[in-house]
Amino acid sequence: MNSAICWFFGINLLNKINKSYFKYGIGVSLFLIAGALFNLSFNDDIVPFTSDGCSVFPDGTLQHQQLWLQCCTAHDFDYWQGGTYKQRQDSDKRLKHCVEQVGQPQIAEIMLAGIRVGGSPYFPTTYRWGYGWPYPRGYKALTDSEISKIEIIIKEDNDN
């Protein structure tokens, strides 16, 4: 049940039945809300790395259709892991520099503007900062345990 339904359930009981049932309804509502928040906040499993290339942006020019794709794949790897706001800024600067290095400085500026707006960890997208972790994660330094999980996934990918 989502929290709006739980809230409605509790308020509805107040209006329709006696106080003992209301207390039960509020208790159930709070229990369900707490359970939902617990599930969102403490699930710490990262999914295996995937990349969609340059997400909603072309992977290259019409003549060279994958010209900056390797830049986007490296950037996706950073975004999959997530981390702090500073780490995101650094990752975005690396993407911009990489696209400039393939000879597309104007495209690099456009991409940087797009990812600074669209890559926020607060949007429930498949390309948000920290998309490998359950939503919502926000900006948060990776713990030693999380880094170990990432290293295991990388090793498993390299072994296959």
Side-chain angles (χ1 to χ4, degrees):
M1 274 190 197
N2 69 31
S3 59
I5 292 171
C6 293
W7 178 83
F8 178 76
F9 179 96
I11 296 302
N12 216 17
L13 283 175
L14 173 65
N15 294 329
K16 293 189 178 180
I17 52 183
N18 70 36
K19 288 184 181 182
S20 65
Y21 283 115
F22 171 70
K23 289 177 185 175
Y24 171 76
I26 289 296
V28 169
S29 297
L30 292 175
F31 177 77
L32 292 172
I33 291 168
L37 291 175
F38 179 82
N39 197 23
L40 287 175
S41 300
F42 298 106
N43 184 355
D44 61 353
D45 293 332
I46 188 167
V47 299
F49 172 68
T50 58
S51 174
D52 63 358
C54 297
S55 300
V56 295
F57 200 84
D59 295 335
T61 65
L62 291 175
Q63 295 80 20
H64 301 96
Q65 294 184 4
Q66 296 184 346
L67 184 60
W68 51 77
L69 177 60
Q70 77 282 358
C71 303
C72 294
T73 303
H75 186 251
D76 282 356
F77 187 74
D78 292 343
Y79 265 58
W80 167 71
Q81 295 178 77
T84 65
Y85 182 78
K86 171 91 169 76
Q87 288 172 309
R88 179 177 173 222
Q89 286 179 315
D90 293 345
S91 176
D92 294 346
K93 288 176 188 173
R94 283 191 299 274
L95 173 66
K96 179 180 181 279
H97 180 73
C98 183
V99 175
E100 289 171 340
Q101 293 301 303
V102 297
Q104 298 295 324
Q106 296 85 5
I107 295 294
E109 288 291 336
I110 294 168
M111 289 176 85
L112 180 62
I115 59 175
R116 293 307 305 158
V117 172
S120 168
Y122 304 111
F123 298 140
T125 62
T126 58
Y127 49 83
R128 71 181 184 281
W129 179 250
Y131 70 83
W133 301 100
Y135 178 82
R137 181 175 170 87
Y139 295 108
K140 186 166 87 170
L142 295 170
T143 66
D144 291 339
S145 172
E146 291 169 336
I147 291 169
S148 294
K149 290 177 183 184
I150 290 168
E151 289 171 348
I152 289 168
I153 289 173
I154 293 167
K155 185 180 181 319
E156 287 173 354
D157 282 351
N158 290 337
D159 289 347
N160 293 329

